[in-house]
Amino acid sequence: MPSAGQIVYYSAVVAWSAAIYQFLIKDLLSVSLGLGRVIQSIDEFPGYSCSRIQHPQLEACEDLWLDERDRTLYAACGGTQSRMAWNPSISLLNASGRRISGSEFLAIDVDSFGTNGFFSLRTITPTGSFGATGEPTLDALGFSAETIDDQTIHFYFANVPPYHGSLFPASQTGANASVEVFEFKRGNTEMSHLRTVQSPAIWSPNRPVALSDGAFLVTNDHGAKVGWRKQLEPLIGGGNVAYCPASGSCRAATPPPGLDIRKSLKFPNGLTRGHDGLIYVPSSVDGTVAVFALQPDGSLTRVHTVRVGMPLDNISPDARGDLWVPGFPDSRQTMKGLENPYEEVSPATVWRIKRERGAEGEVRNAEYVLEYEVEKVLEDREAKVLDGVTTVVHDVKSGRLFMGGAAVPFMVVCEPRV
């Protein structure tokens, strides 16, 4: 017969095991990995007609931004072969396989078709000396834009090139990360470099978002560049949001992972600033969008959590203020697709998140009261058309959806059916 001490010990083990399963393993299996999830076919969504746009320049377009005023879609495209070798965000660190010219930044006229039957596009060439080493190439992941006036846009890029001349391989060093800021005049084919922001507070940048007067926020999507801790982050959490003022040092805007790992950010991905002024940070692990209020000192206070229920990527507001975000319904297949997009498919989901009208984020009993509607707009179980989507942009004027993927060799355009 077990002793009283043994009974207490085994009871504690059972209780801890149940707690670990309830708060960690259960979500990891059902939300993060998608075990048991029912994924719908794209044929079940007759509201859109979707097609792939294949063009040698439109490969691995990780992030997109639509300039409503100029009717121009901007795309940061890394090239599929290059992204299969070099993508520090998911620990693909073969620097020798990276495209030497880096990423290409494109401007696409969404209201005009070129002679090839596709939207006309042009390359926007970065000018100046930039990056940590002063080389005139970008390895862009996410980016955002700040409209300065009728003619001027400032673009903010997360830049993740390898270290050059290092004594250590990229598998030990990760990327030589920075945020690059450029000034662009609408209609031009060049953008001029304004500044490089490199800081110990920026080590794994995913997407920056401009605030005002040159200040910005940026997600570090992991808590470490390389190593065992990075591999454990789906469980224990990691990554943060950093604040960089227009002048002065960057610093953490969110707290580091704590003992209650349920509250830690897990793979915080491409954040955005909503039309309501709140900061939205999607998670590529736990299927949530963390909602933050920006404080005067640049720190962020978490005021709400939108639970979508599957891993998410870059989040983008449309002209109405609705938030559009792609989801990964089968994250195991998503990873296979990122590593080998020519042979593996990656099912995708498109979500729209709407602030409930009348819920103005008022404070009641010292807490924000926010309400959101989460709607599944599209899903493609077989990845017939939507494959490896990492960004969705909604054009309110035409109703179209534009989608890019971090590794896939095409873009997707979905036309609404009348």
Side-chain angles (χ1 to χ4, degrees), residues 319-339:
R320 295 194 187 105
D322 296 343
L323 302 169
W324 295 78
V325 59
F328 306 139
D330 184 346
S331 57
R332 295 165 297 169
Q333 198 59 41
T334 295
M335 291 305 299
K336 292 179 181 179
L338 286 169
E339 294 173 2

Side-chain angles (χ1 to χ4, degrees), residues 88-139:
S89 181
I90 58 170
S91 299
L92 296 178
L93 298 169
N94 175 15
S96 63
R98 161 186 169 266
R99 187 165 67 181
I100 300 300
S101 59
S103 301
E104 189 170 12
F105 193 50
L106 302 171
I108 304 166
D109 186 346
V110 297
D111 289 336
S112 299
F113 284 85
T115 55
N116 59 355
F118 175 61
F119 302 99
S120 59
L121 58 83
R122 66 186 188 279
T123 299
I124 308 299
T125 303
T127 62
S129 178
F130 50 88
T133 59
E135 295 184 359
T137 57
L138 278 172
D139 274 273

Side-chain angles (χ1 to χ4, degrees), residues 58 61-66 73-77 105-106 108 141-144 207 314-316 390-393 401-405 411-412:
L58 296 177
C61 300
E62 160 80 9
D63 207 356
L64 309 170
W65 177 73
L66 178 63
L73 181 72
Y74 294 91
C77 306
F105 193 50
L106 302 171
I108 304 166
L141 289 179
F143 73 96
S144 70
R207 182 203 267 174
N314 300 304
I315 189 166
S316 302
T390 57
T391 304
V392 180
V393 168
L401 299 175
F402 298 95
M403 305 181 205
M411 281 181 55
V412 173

Side-chain angles (χ1 to χ4, degrees), residues 129-174:
S129 178
F130 50 88
T133 59
E135 295 184 359
T137 57
L138 278 172
D139 274 273
L141 289 179
F143 73 96
S144 70
E146 178 183 19
T147 299
I148 305 301
D149 55 41
D150 289 345
Q151 293 298 319
T152 310
I153 300 172
H154 286 177
F155 286 111
Y156 293 70
F157 294 90
N159 191 33
V160 289
Y163 288 85
H164 291 290
S166 173
L167 297 175
F168 301 98
S171 60
Q172 298 180 30
T173 61

Side-chain angles (χ1 to χ4, degrees), residues 6-8 13 52 80 82 194 216 243 247 258 360 366 383 417:
Q6 289 175 318
I7 292 174
V8 171
V13 169
R52 294 179 178 180
T80 294
S82 181
L194 293 179
F216 64 88
Y243 168 73
S247 60
E360 298 301 327
R417 291 191 173 105

Side-chain angles (χ1 to χ4, degrees), residues 26-27 37 39 43 134 137 214 217 248 294 320 335 359 382 407:
K26 182 180 178 181
D27 279 352
R37 177 178 289 131
I39 307 174
D43 298 328
T137 57
L217 296 167
L294 179 66
R320 295 194 187 105
M335 291 305 299
E382 294 86 9

